[in-house]
Amino acid sequence: FRIIDENRAMADPNVANASIAAGKVRSQGFEAEVSGQPQPGWDVVAGYAYNDTLYLRAPVAQVGQIFSPVTPRHSVNIFTRYAFTSPALRGFSIGGGLSYRSDFFAQSGALRITSGDYVLASAQVGYQINDQLALNLSVDNLFDKTYYEKVSGIARQNFYGEPRRVTLSLKARY
């Protein structure tokens, strides 16, 4: 993808606390995802996203700088699940995944809030009771990592990510 955004609001150099339509920024990158079944019962999904943002036309100090520092440059996800096929374990499944985000930040003057890069892990165990009922236990943020999911500014909209979450579900199909 490549997005060029022209006539962005910029501080007016002649009028304090006013803006003019004169900026230009670019966001570009790519996303890829692969999924497959290496062997019967084993599913794998993996994805990667790269995002690069730059000021192209702005005040001299900003040209060539990161336009959206609150957006991670790299994101990686991988999840795998295995459904047992042997008679003794038929109906049971196990799975797990990892999610990585590179660092991102919000800055105002010399003050900066940074979310360092982080990896979150998840795990799940399931049991297909019959054709209509399935039981699943999943744990997200398995190691209870503390991290910023979003940073937006020095004084607003900075959110910690969700702590460890355990979910037990019963799904019925009819």
Side-chain angles (χ1 to χ4, degrees), residues 41 79-85 88-96 123-130 133-139 167-171:
F79 186 81
T80 186
R81 181 179 170 272
Y82 183 74
F84 293 95
T85 55
L89 294 173
R90 187 169 286 129
F92 283 98
S93 65
I94 59 170
Q124 71 87 201
V125 176
Y127 181 65
Q128 186 72 42
I129 299 167
N130 57 38
L133 294 174
L135 189 62
N136 192 59
L137 175 67
S138 61
V139 182
T167 306
L168 180 63
S169 64
L170 177 64
K171 294 182 182 179

Side-chain angles (χ1 to χ4, degrees), residues 97-149:
L98 296 173
S99 178
Y100 167 79
R101 302 289 177 269
S102 61
D103 64 331
F104 52 95
F105 64 91
Q107 187 163 341
S108 177
L111 297 174
R112 180 184 279 203
I113 295 177
T114 300
S115 173
D117 56 349
Y118 61 87
V119 175
L120 300 177
S122 62
Q124 71 87 201
V125 176
Y127 181 65
Q128 186 72 42
I129 299 167
N130 57 38
D131 289 343
Q132 290 78 33
L133 294 174
L135 189 62
N136 192 59
L137 175 67
S138 61
V139 182
D140 295 314
N141 194 0
L142 185 63
F143 303 111
D144 203 21
K145 172 117 177 118
T146 301
Y147 63 99
Y148 279 116
E149 183 174 354

Side-chain angles (χ1 to χ4, degrees), residues 25-26 53-56 59-68:
V25 297
R26 179 186 69 213
T53 65
L54 288 178
Y55 281 100
L56 300 177
V60 174
Q62 288 180 307
V63 172
Q65 298 296 312
I66 297 171
F67 159 66
S68 181

Side-chain angles (χ1 to χ4, degrees), residues 41-87:
W42 183 19
D43 299 313
V44 178
V45 177
Y48 173 74
Y50 173 77
N51 191 7
D52 181 41
T53 65
L54 288 178
Y55 281 100
L56 300 177
R57 188 171 58 236
V60 174
Q62 288 180 307
V63 172
Q65 298 296 312
I66 297 171
F67 159 66
S68 181
V70 298
T71 304
R73 184 167 282 194
H74 305 278
S75 299
V76 180
N77 295 301
I78 185 164
F79 186 81
T80 186
R81 181 179 170 272
Y82 183 74
F84 293 95
T85 55
S86 67

